[in-house]
């Protein structure tokens, strides 16, 4: 017989379990919370996303062109309960200050220095850089300047080998060789709406997977007054990255960092041989080619999050 006493005990047990589940759910929701902050660095207001427990391993998320820390929202929401993540906007990008190109020298050296000082302002003594596109030249400069701060490297569609720059870099190399003669062609090649869309969709046979707001918002950003000058100056300095590739490669060969390489197979910005080129420098690198484009988080956020989670948790 199911007595009234047993019924009462069962109800109490159910209420206790329900209360605990509610508390865990509330705690989980808090863990997933993303904060949007600014900090003064070298006289500039630097905007950043932050999520996850501060006593957990830190991932420093370094964005690409023409994006901002916003590109990492899918990763922030998926990993915030387990990993401490900080995603800043570079000067001239997103919600950070954007002094004119006459007020601030837009070079990768300068941006890397600001990002170095940013980590110091937040007391990030060790971290794993997650380097996407422009995040590569920024992150490698930071790693070589302060190798003691780098726990591991995550590369996602960022180049460190000259052969990784494909046919669509012909116009861009001409710009580096003669800026005055090729400025107009470079701006059309690099900053147009068509190019901005192609960065996302690439050669993916299923373009319906991509939210058009991704490139519409980025093109609106690129169309803001002064942005063409900023991006043109910074891209002219990209030639210094190509010159630095041998130095970055030598550093990887010497130090053999823990390395995760993630690559979108539909990426048209860079050559598909690039992920394996990293394995030449670091034979134990974890290399994964994803069903994604240049911005893998557009369509492969779950898989990317799983791979990053596993990489960070496995320190071997």
């Amino acid at each position: 017989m199911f007595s009234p006493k047993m019924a009462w005990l069962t109800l109490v047990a159910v209420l206790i379990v329900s209360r605990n589940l509610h508390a865990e759910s509330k705690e989980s929701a808090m863990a997933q919370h993303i904060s949007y902050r600014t900090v003064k660095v070298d006289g500039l207001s630097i905007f950043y996303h932050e999520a996850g427990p501060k006593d957990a391993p830190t991932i420093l998320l370094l964005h690409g062109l023409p994006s901002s820390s916003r590109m990492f929202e899918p990763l922030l929401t998926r990993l915030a309960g387990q990993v401490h993540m900080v995603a800043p906007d570079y000067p001239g990008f997103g919600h950070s200050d954007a002094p004119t190109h006459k007020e601030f020298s837009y070079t990768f050296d300068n941006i890397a220095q600001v990002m170095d000082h940013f980590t110091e302002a937040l007391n990030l003594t060790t971290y794993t850089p997650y380097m996407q596109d422009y995040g590569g030249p920024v992150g490698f400069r930071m790693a070589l300047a302060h190798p003691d701060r780098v726990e591991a490297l995550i590369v996602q569609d960022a180049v460190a080998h000259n052969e990784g720059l494909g046919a669509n870099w012909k116009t861009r190399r001409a710009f580096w060789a003669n800026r005055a003669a090729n400025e107009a062609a470079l701006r059309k090649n690099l900053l147009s709406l068509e190019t901005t869309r192609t960065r996302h969709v690439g050669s993916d046979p299923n373009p319906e997977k991509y939210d058009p707001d991704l490139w519409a918002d980025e093109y609106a950003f690129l169309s803001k007054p002064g942005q063409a000058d900023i991006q043109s100056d910074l891209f002219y300095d990209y030639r210094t990255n190509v010159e630095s590739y041998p130095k970055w490669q030598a550093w990887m060969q010497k130090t053999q960092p823990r390395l995760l390489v993630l690559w979108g197979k539909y990426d048209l910005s860079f050559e598909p041989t690039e992920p394996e080129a990293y394995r030449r420098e670091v034979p134990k690198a974890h290399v994964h080619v994803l069903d994604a484009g240049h911005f893998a988080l557009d369509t492969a956020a779950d898989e990317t999050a799983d791979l990053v989670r596993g990489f960070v948790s496995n320190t071997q």
Side-chain angles (χ1 to χ4, degrees):
M1 295 287 294
F2 193 68
S3 68
K5 182 178 181 181
M6 290 177 64
W8 170 249
L9 291 173
T10 300
L11 177 61
V12 170
V14 169
L15 290 173
I16 291 173
V17 170
S18 176
R19 182 189 64 187
N20 290 342
L21 288 174
H22 177 73
E24 291 175 6
S25 176
K26 184 177 180 181
E27 182 179 344
S28 175
M30 291 176 63
Q32 300 297 321
H33 178 69
I34 300 172
S35 296
Y36 306 89
R37 300 188 169 107
T38 58
V39 62
K40 279 289 183 181
V41 179
D42 297 344
L44 299 169
S45 178
I46 299 298
F47 174 86
Y48 64 101
H49 291 62
E50 186 171 22
K54 292 189 176 182
D55 58 351
T58 296
I59 299 179
L60 179 66
L61 299 157
L62 300 171
H63 66 78
L65 168 77
S67 192
S68 67
S69 56
R70 175 185 173 186
M71 67 167 280
F72 292 113
E73 290 254 8
L75 197 63
L76 291 163
T77 57
R78 286 164 173 80
L79 296 183
Q82 305 115 53
V83 182
H84 179 222
M85 289 171 290
V86 179
D89 289 346
Y90 309 141
F93 289 77
H95 294 290
S96 288
D97 279 350
T100 69
H101 71 138
K102 295 181 179 180
E103 298 168 323
F104 180 86
S105 180
Y106 284 93
T107 68
F108 285 93
D109 279 348
N110 282 347
I111 288 178
Q113 179 173 286
V114 172
M115 291 296 99
D116 261 335
H117 295 166
F118 168 81
T119 63
E120 292 162 0
L122 268 61
N123 196 31
L124 302 179
T125 55
T126 58
Y127 48 81
T128 293
Y130 182 123
M131 309 183 298
Q132 197 275 340
D133 190 67
Y134 274 13
V138 174
F140 274 115
R141 281 172 169 79
M142 296 173 70
L144 268 65
H146 302 284
D148 54 305
R149 300 179 184 178
V150 177
E151 295 184 323
L153 295 178
I154 300 173
V155 172
Q156 192 251 295
D157 295 83
V159 168
H161 304 82
N162 189 43
E163 60 268 31
L165 306 179
N168 63 342
W169 287 74
K170 181 178 179 180
T171 300
R172 300 168 188 186
R173 291 182 190 273
F175 172 67
W176 299 335
N178 187 335
R179 180 171 183 175
N182 294 283
E183 182 96 33
L186 180 281
R187 293 191 182 201
K188 181 179 180 181
N189 175 271
L190 187 70
L191 308 177
S192 69
L193 177 59
E194 179 183 359
T195 300
T196 307
R197 178 186 182 275
T198 299
R199 280 194 198 96
H200 286 272
V201 177
S203 60
D204 195 329
N206 300 297
E208 68 276 5
K209 296 186 298 185
Y210 296 82
D211 182 351
D213 284 345
L214 293 166
W215 54 85
D217 289 352
E218 289 175 357
Y219 183 67
F221 163 75
L222 289 173
S223 302
K224 292 171 62 175
Q227 267 299 316
D229 292 329
I230 288 172
Q231 299 304 333
S232 182
D233 277 5
L234 185 56
F235 195 80
Y236 184 64
D237 189 65
Y238 199 100
R239 71 197 191 284
T240 66
N241 301 331
V242 181
E243 296 164 0
S244 297
Y245 288 164
K247 182 167 59 175
W248 303 348
Q249 294 162 20
W251 179 80
M252 286 188 285
Q253 292 168 10
K254 180 180 179 180
T255 62
Q256 291 297 298
R258 290 188 63 244
L259 174 61
L260 172 64
V261 179
L262 305 173
W263 208 265
K265 67 181 180 180
Y266 304 121
D267 188 353
L268 293 179
S269 296
F270 304 127
E271 289 297 289
T273 57
E274 182 65 6
E276 285 301 324
Y278 279 100
R279 207 195 298 269
R280 293 202 307 264
E281 322 301 347
V282 185
K284 292 185 178 180
H286 303 265
V287 178
H288 299 270
V289 177
L290 309 176
D291 188 30
H294 183 64
F295 296 97
L297 293 169
D298 287 352
T299 58
D302 288 339
E303 184 179 2
T304 301
D306 288 343
L307 290 168
V308 171
R309 183 188 297 110
F311 179 73
V312 173
S313 63
N314 180 9
T315 58
Q316 300 302 315

